[in-house]
Amino acid sequence: MAADSEPESEVFEITDFTTASEWERFISKVEEVLNDWKLIGNSLGKPLEKGIFTSGAWEEKSDEISFADFKFSVTHHYLVQDSADKEGKDEVLEDVIPQSMQDLLCMNNDFPPRAHCLVRWYGLREFVVIAPAANHDAVLSESKCNLLLSSVSIALGNTGCQVPLFVQIHHKWRRMYVGECQGHGVRTDFEMVHLRKVPNQYTHLSGLLDIFKSKIGCPLTPLPPVSIAIRFTYVLQDWQQYFWPQQPPDIDALVGGEVGGLEFGKLPFGACEDPISELHLATTWPHLTEGIIVDNDVYSDLDPIQAPHWSVRVRKADNPQCLLGDFVTEFFKICRRKESTDEILGRSTFEEEGREIADITHALSKLTEPAPVPIHKLSVSNMVHTAKKKIRKHRGVEESPLNNDVLNTILLFLFPDAASEKPLDGSSSTDSNNPLSESEEYNLYNQFKSAPSDSLTYKLALCLCMINFYHGGLKGVAHLWQEFVLEMRFRWENNFLIPGLTSGPPDLRCCLLHQKLQMLNCCIERKKARDEGRKTNTSEIYPGDTGKAGDQLGPDNLKDMDKEKGEVGKSWDSWSDSEEEFFECLSDTEELKGNGQESGKKGGPKEVASLKPEGRLHQHGKLTLLHNGEPLYIPVTQEPAPMTEDLLEEQSEVLAKLGTSAEGAHLRARMQSACLLSDMESFKAANPGCFLEDFVRWYSPRDYIEEEVVDEKGNMVLKGELSARMKIPSNMWVEAWETAKPIPARRQRRLFDDTREAEKVLHYLAVQKPADLARHLLPCVIHAAVLKVKEEENLENISSVKKIIKQIITHSSKVLHFPNPEDKKLEEIIHQITNVEAIIARARSLKAKFGTEKCEQEEEKEDLERFVSCLLEQPEVLVVGAGRGHAGKIIHKLFVNAQRLTESSDEAAAVAPPEEELKRMGSPEERRHNSVSDFPPPAGRELILRTTVPRPAPYSRALPQRMYSVLTKEDFRLAGAFSSDTTFF
């Protein structure tokens, strides 16, 4: 039984050969991709124009396929060209060789400066590459390479695709490709050799010709002529004869007084190292034949001076260190710091011992002592400020991050009014005659949300930037900011206006810090005006005589007073009666009860007969009160409270939280009508016996509608009435009018409490960390950097830089308008500014090396400047006249100097000017003799050999053959394209 069961236990396997293998699936996928991209058939394009590989647009398509579990990426590279005639495309001529084979012989685009390596090696306008998808994957074994090549060959044969198909083998850094192109009865094999060490026999033309001929294996005895194109590249690295023109900033002058504090308002510019590291000279012989030239291991006719074509490219230093870029970058780094000012300086104001604490208690005790000083100077904050000064006085000099010279220079730069004995009260307004005021550069702050370029905030940003870079870093920034805040408090308490700020309410187009300083200035203006008024009229003004005082001091007198005080731009109605203060005591308002308040509500003419008009500014044209015919007077009113954007935001949040209920809406309207109520009270005081209609005619004329009607006697008369919205029962205007009492502006509660707002601003400034400060001022620093770049670009006039600067301004205006811009976007802006700085530095470096300023002839100077600008913008520039042109001679001098410095041990010879060196080579024979030492050995040798011969048999079709060779110090590569006839062989 066991013996019988043995055959049954064997497994019988049947191999189904109709099922596709992994290899067949791979070939099918390749064919599918070629079909999807419509690369089937012969499509002949236009002949290639000269330079099209560099100037034209290249595009690529990619797809992914896999061989078993190994993934490959398939990429189609092609030059975008106008489509050829459709008729020619439809007709597929069997005797026409594929487009790529024709391109092998095209000489218009040899050695393109910027192209895919296969384009440079084979001159192709279109090709497909199959490469391992992952960077770390590689096809290393020979069997796998052959398998892939077979797959390519079968796919091309099955589809009829005439576009070359390459496979990348070995590691990617080696750039090794093998490929194939098939046409009707023809095939081209693309082969490659890549070696580290070069065999000696292949370092010259004769040895490479031997390889080419042996590879072709042409059976014809008189071999058709081989066309040769040669390019030698020489590298110049030694610029010792030409110093880098960038001057380092004179740091001593910043403090020493030679340049003065104005140096703090300037940003540095330029690269600290030469941004041009190398100059590459390519000498090209584009059309040579085998018999014309000799180049072997003994002798060479290839003299670079005699080369018909010279082209130059410059290699730029990678990320050169640029002063402006470093300045802005270092300042931006502060934004990421978390420490507070006290933590950075390592002390707190009141942590001192001994005399310092005694000083504070002593200072506070002065409040009880009699002192012949104005009342407004006796405040707790002033005493604390004085105590701080004493603390600072007792601190050791070495503890201060900024020395006194630097600090004083900066403070004088920021506050120029402190230099004079009597501070200029009117210095708050910027120079209105500034020619830049209306210019595009000046108004950049609107786009950047920074601050005007002549403002205190802008100067502060530049000073902090310089302190951070040169004088003490973060500690220096914290120290200067502490001093700045103390100065702000000193000015508030002593009624000194802050210089470098435009008068008026905060400008919401500027950064928040600038708005805060403007708000503080508004507070100082109000406080100063109030104190001035108190001094002038202390003895004259009493609660009962206010109307008289107001009448005696008319608007003209007050305007004159304002001018004497030096307040630029101040007008009569800018902050109500300047000589009178606002009474906030309850007893003052109680006095008005018997003065006809109840009558004011009704507005009847009889009840208000005893009221005297108060707080009149001037008569309103010919308008009269509707009920008693008295002239209508415009009252002196309180100005609305100035607001910074954060206060506006807070206010809007509070109003939004009130909700949409009727009660919330009513409360919201009441909160928003404080200014309206104040104006109504002022109007009632100035116009006794007035009605709401009179107020509306002045305050909101469009809400008083007048119509012509016929009266009882038949005459046409004007009859007016309130608008529909004013007639709504219990609307806010009617309620406010009924609530309003006839109180002149000088007796009302202040709409703007300057004391409270100033303390809020000072507290806000005091609690700012250096990181917060840097965030506030970064738009100003970027603004300053853009202005500096524009200024420097105007000197050089580089068209490409102008476009980049416009892009930077557009990008910055979008980013900086957001409250908290992302760090990444800010870094992008700073990087763009640094790039522009590097481009301008490169332009200056090249101009210095080519001596554009030394040219005596205007025509030569223009040619050189054009040549230099092309070097900056183009990957490679043709030298007009090659070695005999003006630019060519200068390049020759540069190489001669470098060679003399390298070869000569005599220092005197090394310093000799290049003109003398060239004089020694006056005649062509002498130059020919000395040219060996004029140039170093070529850093790269490139050759292209072409011919058309029948392969593989004498009776085969004559087809293009091409071999490219490149030889450098550490690399040798041969890239061959050898065509053969597959019909007659």
Side-chain angles (χ1 to χ4, degrees):
M1 291 295 291
D4 293 338
S5 62
E6 276 180 11
E8 292 177 8
S9 63
E10 290 180 6
V11 178
F12 179 69
E13 292 185 2
I14 300 174
T15 305
D16 185 3
F17 289 100
T18 61
T19 306
S21 65
E22 291 290 350
W23 182 41
E24 289 170 312
R25 287 196 192 97
F26 177 71
I27 295 169
S28 174
K29 287 173 186 173
V30 174
E31 292 174 12
E32 189 181 328
V33 170
L34 295 177
N35 275 296
D36 287 345
W37 289 343
K38 299 179 181 176
L39 301 179
I40 310 305
N42 185 10
S43 59
L44 291 177
K46 294 179 180 179
L48 291 170
E49 299 172 8
K50 193 170 183 65
I52 190 69
F53 283 171
T54 306
S55 61
W58 286 86
E59 289 186 3
E60 58 182 61
K61 297 176 191 171
S62 288
D63 205 343
E64 201 168 90
I65 59 175
S66 58
F67 192 130
D69 57 349
F70 194 94
K71 290 185 178 180
F72 289 92
S73 66
V74 186
T75 310
H76 177 213
H77 301 264
Y78 58 98
L79 178 68
V80 179
Q81 287 183 293
D82 296 334
S83 56
D85 293 337
K86 299 271 176 132
E87 297 173 3
K89 201 169 183 180
D90 293 339
E91 293 178 13
V92 178
L93 302 174
E94 291 194 2
D95 58 338
V96 177
I97 62 173
Q99 181 72 66
S100 57
M101 288 192 187
Q102 297 178 29
D103 289 345
L104 292 175
L105 296 176
C106 178
M107 294 185 172
N108 286 337
N109 292 285
D110 290 347
F111 317 113
R114 188 185 291 156
H116 191 280
C117 58
L118 291 173
V119 176
R120 188 175 184 86
W121 298 337
Y122 296 117
L124 303 172
R125 72 177 78 181
E126 185 178 22
F127 54 93
V128 176
V129 176
I130 299 176
N135 285 325
H136 54 81
D137 288 340
V139 179
L140 299 174
S141 68
E142 189 175 353
S143 60
K144 287 181 180 177
C145 294
N146 290 335
L147 185 66
L148 284 172
L149 205 52
S150 301
S151 307
V152 164
S153 185
I154 294 169
L156 290 175
N158 290 344
T159 57
C161 173
Q162 296 192 359
V163 176
L165 196 53
F166 290 88
V167 175
Q168 186 167 13
I169 57 175
H170 292 287
H171 295 290
K172 290 203 172 184
W173 64 267
R174 295 190 66 179
R175 296 191 296 174
M176 287 280 288
Y177 298 89
V178 290
E180 191 172 305
C181 175
Q182 292 186 12
H184 294 286
V186 293
R187 186 182 78 231
T188 301
D189 294 306
F190 296 94
E191 303 171 9
M192 201 167 290
V193 174
H194 183 224
L195 302 172
R196 283 286 181 91
K197 292 186 179 179
V198 192
N200 287 331
Q201 64 268 33
Y202 302 142
T203 57
H204 42 74
L205 175 62
S206 58
L208 294 169
L209 274 170
D210 291 341
I211 297 178
F212 186 58
K213 290 175 184 176
S214 65
K215 185 66 182 173
I216 292 170
C218 181
L220 301 178
T221 44
L223 188 70
V226 176
S227 170
I228 305 168
I230 302 176
R231 167 175 284 209
F232 286 177
T233 302
Y234 299 90
V235 177
L236 177 66
Q237 294 173 311
D238 196 346
W239 305 101
Q240 290 184 15
Q241 283 285 328
Y242 295 85
F243 295 107
W244 168 227
Q246 176 68 32
Q247 293 295 322
D250 187 1
I251 299 169
D252 294 332
L254 301 181
V255 183
E258 299 171 16
V259 180
L262 289 175
E263 195 68 21
F264 277 100
K266 297 176 183 176
L267 285 173
F269 189 87
C272 298
E273 56 186 308
D274 196 336
I276 302 293
S277 58
E278 294 178 356
L279 182 139
H280 293 196
L281 169 66
T283 58
T284 309
W285 293 263
H287 305 293
L288 296 174
T289 50
E290 189 180 347
I292 290 178
I293 203 156
V294 177
D295 179 46
N296 53 36
D297 54 354
V298 179
Y299 175 80
S300 175
D301 283 331
L302 300 172
D303 176 12
I305 294 292
Q306 305 299 326
H309 289 174
W310 274 22
S311 55
V312 176
R313 68 166 71 195
V314 289
R315 185 176 176 185
K316 299 152 187 173
D318 296 330
N319 301 318
Q321 185 185 0
C322 295
L323 288 172
L324 181 62
D326 285 356
F327 251 58
V328 183
T329 304
E330 288 300 317
F331 189 75
F332 176 65
K333 286 179 183 176
I334 300 177
C335 298
R336 295 197 175 101
R337 302 299 289 262
K338 305 290 184 186
E339 303 95 329
S340 67
T341 306
D342 284 342
E343 287 170 348
I344 290 166
L345 298 177
R347 53 188 153 68
S348 180
T349 309
F350 296 105
E351 282 181 358
E352 307 289 335
E353 294 180 1
R355 282 182 303 176
E356 285 75 6
I357 294 175
D359 284 339
I360 291 173
T361 56
H362 183 61
L364 291 173
S365 68
K366 285 186 179 180
L367 284 171
T368 59
E369 295 176 6
V373 291
I375 298 300
H376 67 274
K377 288 191 179 179
L378 283 177
S379 66
V380 175
S381 57
N382 192 33
M383 294 301 104
V384 173
H385 169 61
T386 311
K388 281 185 182 177
K389 281 190 171 179
K390 291 188 178 180
I391 290 170
R392 198 162 57 246
K393 202 179 289 179
H394 288 293
R395 195 180 299 139
V397 179
E398 68 279 359
E399 293 179 31
S400 299
L402 292 177
N403 65 51
N404 287 336
D405 290 339
V406 176
L407 186 59
N408 291 336
T409 307
I410 295 172
L411 291 176
L412 278 177
F413 171 65
L414 294 175
F415 305 104
D417 59 343
S420 57
E421 290 180 10
K422 185 181 179 182
L424 302 172
D425 292 343
S427 60
S428 64
S429 295
T430 51
D431 187 5
S432 58
N433 298 323
N434 188 351
L436 289 174
S437 294
E438 298 301 321
S439 69
E440 184 183 345
E441 284 83 359
Y442 185 82
N443 290 323
L444 262 184
Y445 75 90
N446 292 343
Q447 300 178 47
F448 285 8
K449 200 169 175 59
S450 58
S453 54
D454 53 359
S455 66
L456 173 66
T457 317
Y458 186 91
K459 291 177 182 176
L460 176 66
L462 296 185
C463 289
L464 288 171
C465 209
M466 188 162 284
I467 290 298
N468 180 55
F469 202 78
Y470 284 130
H471 306 285
L474 189 63
K475 282 192 173 183
V477 169
H479 186 186
L480 177 58
W481 178 241
Q482 191 183 58
E483 294 291 338
F484 184 87
V485 174
L486 288 173
E487 179 69 25
M488 292 299 101
R489 180 166 288 282
F490 175 79
R491 285 175 177 270
W492 156 246
E493 292 174 356
N494 293 278
N495 290 354
F496 294 141
L497 289 173
I498 304 167
L501 299 174
T502 50
S503 58
D507 188 349
L508 300 180
R509 299 172 299 175
C510 299
C511 64
L512 183 58
L513 189 67
H514 187 76
Q515 294 176 40
K516 291 288 183 185
L517 295 178
Q518 283 184 306
M519 173 66 93
L520 186 58
N521 232 15
C522 289
C523 297
I524 295 171
E525 280 186 16
R526 302 280 178 103
K527 177 170 174 278
K528 181 177 178 182
R530 201 168 62 256
D531 291 346
E532 295 264 343
R534 186 186 291 128
K535 284 181 187 176
T536 309
N537 298 291
T538 303
S539 59
E540 295 180 17
I541 300 176
Y542 295 96
D545 300 333
T546 49
K548 292 179 184 177
D551 292 335
Q552 288 168 4
L553 268 170
D556 294 331
N557 295 336
L558 280 173
K559 282 181 184 174
D560 293 338
M561 281 178 66
D562 287 337
K563 285 177 185 175
E564 286 170 12
K565 285 186 284 185
E567 292 178 18
V568 183
K570 290 288 287 179
S571 63
W572 158 259
D573 59 345
S574 64
W575 53 265
S576 179
D577 293 316
S578 63
E579 84 286 1
E580 295 159 346
E581 65 179 313
F582 291 95
F583 291 90
E584 299 181 21
C585 302
L586 186 62
S587 59
D588 293 326
T589 54
E590 289 290 331
E591 287 179 14
L592 288 171
K593 285 188 177 177
N595 222 3
Q597 282 186 5
E598 299 299 324
S599 316
K601 290 180 185 177
K602 298 174 184 175
K606 292 178 183 177
E607 293 84 347
V608 297
S610 59
L611 277 178
K612 292 181 180 179
E614 294 182 272
R616 288 178 171 179
L617 182 59
H618 57 78
Q619 194 172 327
H620 190 300
K622 295 180 180 179
L623 283 184
T624 58
L625 300 179
L626 293 172
H627 294 277
N628 59 14
E630 289 289 324
L632 189 150
Y633 282 87
I634 295 175
V636 174
T637 58
Q638 294 193 58
E639 275 194 355
M643 302 277 273
T644 56
E645 64 184 29
D646 60 333
L647 293 178
L648 285 170
E649 194 174 338
E650 282 177 26
Q651 191 184 60
S652 62
E653 283 179 10
V654 169
L655 294 174
K657 284 177 183 176
L658 292 174
T660 55
S661 64
E663 188 181 350
H666 186 73
L667 187 57
R668 189 184 301 112
R670 288 290 297 272
M671 288 174 66
Q672 290 176 309
S673 63
C675 188
L676 175 67
L677 182 64
S678 168
D679 292 342
M680 283 180 171
E681 291 183 339
S682 300
F683 188 82
K684 278 188 175 184
N687 299 281
C690 61
F691 283 79
L692 178 60
E693 287 84 348
D694 297 310
F695 177 76
V696 170
R697 286 163 71 208
W698 164 62
Y699 206 81
S700 180
R702 283 184 292 183
D703 280 310
Y704 188 75
I705 301 160
E706 290 184 325
E707 292 179 344
E708 287 187 350
V709 294
V710 181
D711 63 0
E712 297 171 354
K713 298 178 181 179
N715 298 324
M716 295 291 290
V717 293
L718 279 173
K719 186 179 180 182
E721 61 178 355
L722 293 174
S723 65
R725 78 179 183 118
M726 289 291 176
K727 290 179 180 178
I728 299 170
S730 301
N731 75 73
M732 187 48 60
W733 286 63
V734 173
E735 282 190 9
W737 182 258
E738 290 175 356
T739 311
K741 302 159 189 173
I743 308 172
R746 61 179 170 271
R747 298 180 62 82
Q748 295 171 9
R749 184 180 183 83
R750 279 184 279 168
L751 290 176
F752 177 57
D753 187 345
D754 51 70
T755 308
R756 186 183 64 179
E757 292 301 327
E759 289 298 338
K760 281 168 68 177
V761 171
L762 290 168
H763 176 72
Y764 179 85
L765 298 179
V767 299
Q768 292 296 298
K769 295 179 180 178
D772 302 328
L773 181 63
R775 290 265 176 206
H776 284 307
L777 294 177
L778 192 63
C780 295
V781 173
I782 291 174
H783 178 190
V786 170
L787 287 183
K788 184 67 177 177
V789 164
K790 286 187 82 171
E791 177 193 332
E792 298 292 333
E793 187 278 326
N794 287 336
L795 301 174
E796 304 302 327
N797 195 21
I798 308 167
S799 57
S800 62
V801 171
K802 282 188 171 70
K803 293 177 186 174
I804 300 171
I805 291 174
K806 285 182 180 177
Q807 291 171 4
I808 292 172
I809 291 172
T810 307
H811 185 203
S812 302
S813 60
K814 289 177 183 175
V815 172
L816 296 175
H817 261 281
F818 285 96
N820 295 305
E822 296 175 19
D823 284 4
K824 191 176 180 182
K825 291 181 178 178
L826 292 171
E827 283 172 350
E828 283 175 13
I829 294 171
I830 296 168
H831 183 63
Q832 287 175 322
I833 292 170
T834 308
N835 284 346
V836 171
E837 184 183 14
I839 292 170
I840 296 172
R842 288 184 195 118
R844 289 179 176 170
S845 174
L846 287 171
K847 283 182 179 180
K849 291 172 175 59
F850 283 90
T852 54
E853 300 301 322
K854 296 177 184 176
C855 284
E856 296 177 359
Q857 296 183 11
E858 193 64 32
E859 189 178 346
E860 282 186 358
K861 185 177 180 180
E862 286 179 8
D863 288 344
L864 265 184
E865 286 180 350
R866 199 178 303 115
F867 177 73
V868 166
S869 66
C870 288
L871 271 178
L872 287 170
E873 296 174 9
Q874 298 175 16
E876 194 168 277
V877 181
L878 193 69
V879 180
V880 179
R884 295 167 293 285
H886 186 61
K889 288 177 182 175
I890 292 173
I891 294 166
H892 185 197
K893 288 178 192 176
L894 291 170
F895 276 99
V896 166
N897 287 331
Q899 281 300 100
R900 295 292 179 269
L901 286 166
T902 305
E903 295 174 3
S904 174
S905 58
D906 185 6
E907 291 183 5
V911 182
E915 289 78 4
E916 292 182 15
E917 299 291 341
L918 281 177
K919 283 177 187 175
R920 299 176 190 174
M921 313 179 292
S923 66
E925 290 180 7
E926 290 175 1
R927 180 177 294 187
R928 178 78 185 82
H929 178 71
N930 291 334
S931 64
V932 177
S933 59
D934 282 0
F935 290 88
R941 298 167 179 257
E942 295 173 275
L943 286 89
I944 300 175
L945 308 177
R946 300 181 184 88
T947 190
T948 306
V949 296
R951 273 184 89 224
Y955 48 81
S956 298
R957 191 173 173 184
L959 296 170
Q961 319 292 330
R962 170 182 172 127
M963 188 178 81
Y964 170 90
S965 163
V966 58
L967 167 65
T968 63
K969 282 183 180 180
E970 300 176 351
D971 198 59
F972 174 67
R973 186 185 300 273
L974 293 175
F978 304 105
S979 308
S980 55
D981 191 338
T982 56
T983 306
F984 301 100
F985 56 90

PDB file of all heavy atoms in Angstrom, residues 83-94:
ATOM      1  N   SER A  83       5.387  74.025 -33.374  1.00  0.00           N
ATOM      2  CA  SER A  83       5.141  72.754 -34.075  1.00  0.00           C
ATOM      3  C   SER A  83       5.366  72.938 -35.568  1.00  0.00           C
ATOM      4  O   SER A  83       5.009  73.951 -36.160  1.00  0.00           O
ATOM      5  CB  SER A  83       3.702  72.295 -33.816  1.00  0.00           C
ATOM      6  OG  SER A  83       2.814  73.323 -34.202  1.00  0.00           O
ATOM      7  N   ALA A  84       5.982  71.921 -36.164  1.00  0.00           N
ATOM      8  CA  ALA A  84       6.272  71.959 -37.601  1.00  0.00           C
ATOM      9  C   ALA A  84       4.971  71.766 -38.377  1.00  0.00           C
ATOM     10  O   ALA A  84       3.907  71.520 -37.823  1.00  0.00           O
ATOM     11  CB  ALA A  84       7.271  70.860 -37.956  1.00  0.00           C
ATOM     12  N   ASP A  85       5.088  71.886 -39.703  1.00  0.00           N
ATOM     13  CA  ASP A  85       3.889  71.723 -40.553  1.00  0.00           C
ATOM     14  C   ASP A  85       3.256  70.368 -40.319  1.00  0.00           C
ATOM     15  O   ASP A  85       3.928  69.343 -40.298  1.00  0.00           O
ATOM     16  CB  ASP A  85       4.291  71.864 -42.032  1.00  0.00           C
ATOM     17  CG  ASP A  85       4.749  73.272 -42.339  1.00  0.00           C
ATOM     18  OD1 ASP A  85       4.347  74.189 -41.583  1.00  0.00           O
ATOM     19  OD2 ASP A  85       5.491  73.445 -43.297  1.00  0.00           O
ATOM     20  N   LYS A  86       1.947  70.374 -40.174  1.00  0.00           N
ATOM     21  CA  LYS A  86       1.235  69.125 -39.874  1.00  0.00           C
ATOM     22  C   LYS A  86       1.367  68.133 -41.024  1.00  0.00           C
ATOM     23  O   LYS A  86       1.394  66.939 -40.829  1.00  0.00           O
ATOM     24  CB  LYS A  86      -0.250  69.431 -39.641  1.00  0.00           C
ATOM     25  CG  LYS A  86      -0.483  70.361 -38.467  1.00  0.00           C
ATOM     26  CD  LYS A  86      -0.627  69.603 -37.189  1.00  0.00           C
ATOM     27  CE  LYS A  86      -0.765  70.536 -36.025  1.00  0.00           C
ATOM     28  NZ  LYS A  86      -1.826  70.237 -35.148  1.00  0.00           N
ATOM     29  N   GLU A  87       1.437  68.695 -42.260  1.00  0.00           N
ATOM     30  CA  GLU A  87       1.483  67.795 -43.425  1.00  0.00           C
ATOM     31  C   GLU A  87       2.740  66.955 -43.388  1.00  0.00           C
ATOM     32  O   GLU A  87       2.731  65.753 -43.580  1.00  0.00           O
ATOM     33  CB  GLU A  87       1.444  68.618 -44.720  1.00  0.00           C
ATOM     34  CG  GLU A  87       0.147  69.403 -44.859  1.00  0.00           C
ATOM     35  CD  GLU A  87       0.185  70.347 -46.040  1.00  0.00           C
ATOM     36  OE1 GLU A  87       1.192  70.348 -46.766  1.00  0.00           O
ATOM     37  OE2 GLU A  87      -0.792  71.082 -46.239  1.00  0.00           O
ATOM     38  N   GLY A  88       3.833  67.642 -43.103  1.00  0.00           N
ATOM     39  CA  GLY A  88       5.102  66.911 -43.040  1.00  0.00           C
ATOM     40  C   GLY A  88       5.114  65.895 -41.923  1.00  0.00           C
ATOM     41  O   GLY A  88       5.818  64.893 -41.979  1.00  0.00           O
ATOM     42  N   LYS A  89       4.321  66.169 -40.882  1.00  0.00           N
ATOM     43  CA  LYS A  89       4.289  65.265 -39.742  1.00  0.00           C
ATOM     44  C   LYS A  89       3.522  63.985 -40.084  1.00  0.00           C
ATOM     45  O   LYS A  89       3.841  62.913 -39.624  1.00  0.00           O
ATOM     46  CB  LYS A  89       3.602  65.977 -38.564  1.00  0.00           C
ATOM     47  CG  LYS A  89       3.921  65.399 -37.225  1.00  0.00           C
ATOM     48  CD  LYS A  89       3.424  66.307 -36.132  1.00  0.00           C
ATOM     49  CE  LYS A  89       3.798  65.759 -34.780  1.00  0.00           C
ATOM     50  NZ  LYS A  89       3.332  66.613 -33.708  1.00  0.00           N
ATOM     51  N   ASP A  90       2.494  64.158 -40.892  1.00  0.00           N
ATOM     52  CA  ASP A  90       1.667  62.997 -41.221  1.00  0.00           C
ATOM     53  C   ASP A  90       2.375  62.060 -42.192  1.00  0.00           C
ATOM     54  O   ASP A  90       2.194  60.851 -42.147  1.00  0.00           O
ATOM     55  CB  ASP A  90       0.334  63.459 -41.826  1.00  0.00           C
ATOM     56  CG  ASP A  90      -0.494  64.200 -40.782  1.00  0.00           C
ATOM     57  OD1 ASP A  90      -0.232  63.996 -39.592  1.00  0.00           O
ATOM     58  OD2 ASP A  90      -1.386  64.977 -41.184  1.00  0.00           O
ATOM     59  N   GLU A  91       3.178  62.656 -43.070  1.00  0.00           N
ATOM     60  CA  GLU A  91       3.866  61.805 -44.040  1.00  0.00           C
ATOM     61  C   GLU A  91       5.095  61.190 -43.379  1.00  0.00           C
ATOM     62  O   GLU A  91       6.037  61.878 -43.037  1.00  0.00           O
ATOM     63  CB  GLU A  91       4.321  62.631 -45.248  1.00  0.00           C
ATOM     64  CG  GLU A  91       3.156  63.163 -46.074  1.00  0.00           C
ATOM     65  CD  GLU A  91       3.658  64.007 -47.229  1.00  0.00           C
ATOM     66  OE1 GLU A  91       4.866  63.966 -47.510  1.00  0.00           O
ATOM     67  OE2 GLU A  91       2.848  64.708 -47.845  1.00  0.00           O
ATOM     68  N   VAL A  92       5.082  59.914 -43.222  1.00  0.00           N
ATOM     69  CA  VAL A  92       6.228  59.225 -42.630  1.00  0.00           C
ATOM     70  C   VAL A  92       7.070  58.661 -43.772  1.00  0.00           C
ATOM     71  O   VAL A  92       6.670  57.721 -44.455  1.00  0.00           O
ATOM     72  CB  VAL A  92       5.764  58.089 -41.683  1.00  0.00           C
ATOM     73  CG1 VAL A  92       6.970  57.369 -41.118  1.00  0.00           C
ATOM     74  CG2 VAL A  92       4.892  58.663 -40.586  1.00  0.00           C
ATOM     75  N   LEU A  93       8.227  59.297 -43.974  1.00  0.00           N
ATOM     76  CA  LEU A  93       9.100  58.861 -45.068  1.00  0.00           C
ATOM     77  C   LEU A  93      10.071  57.822 -44.544  1.00  0.00           C
ATOM     78  O   LEU A  93      10.775  58.056 -43.573  1.00  0.00           O
ATOM     79  CB  LEU A  93       9.855  60.067 -45.638  1.00  0.00           C
ATOM     80  CG  LEU A  93       8.957  61.210 -46.159  1.00  0.00           C
ATOM     81  CD1 LEU A  93       9.799  62.393 -46.557  1.00  0.00           C
ATOM     82  CD2 LEU A  93       8.115  60.729 -47.338  1.00  0.00           C
ATOM     83  N   GLU A  94      10.121  56.699 -45.223  1.00  0.00           N
ATOM     84  CA  GLU A  94      10.945  55.588 -44.727  1.00  0.00           C
ATOM     85  C   GLU A  94      12.429  55.880 -44.844  1.00  0.00           C
ATOM     86  O   GLU A  94      13.225  55.376 -44.084  1.00  0.00           O
ATOM     87  CB  GLU A  94      10.592  54.301 -45.480  1.00  0.00           C
ATOM     88  CG  GLU A  94       9.202  53.792 -45.148  1.00  0.00           C
ATOM     89  CD  GLU A  94       8.993  52.373 -45.623  1.00  0.00           C
ATOM     90  OE1 GLU A  94       9.949  51.797 -46.164  1.00  0.00           O
ATOM     91  OE2 GLU A  94       7.879  51.859 -45.450  1.00  0.00           O
TER      92      GLU A  94
END
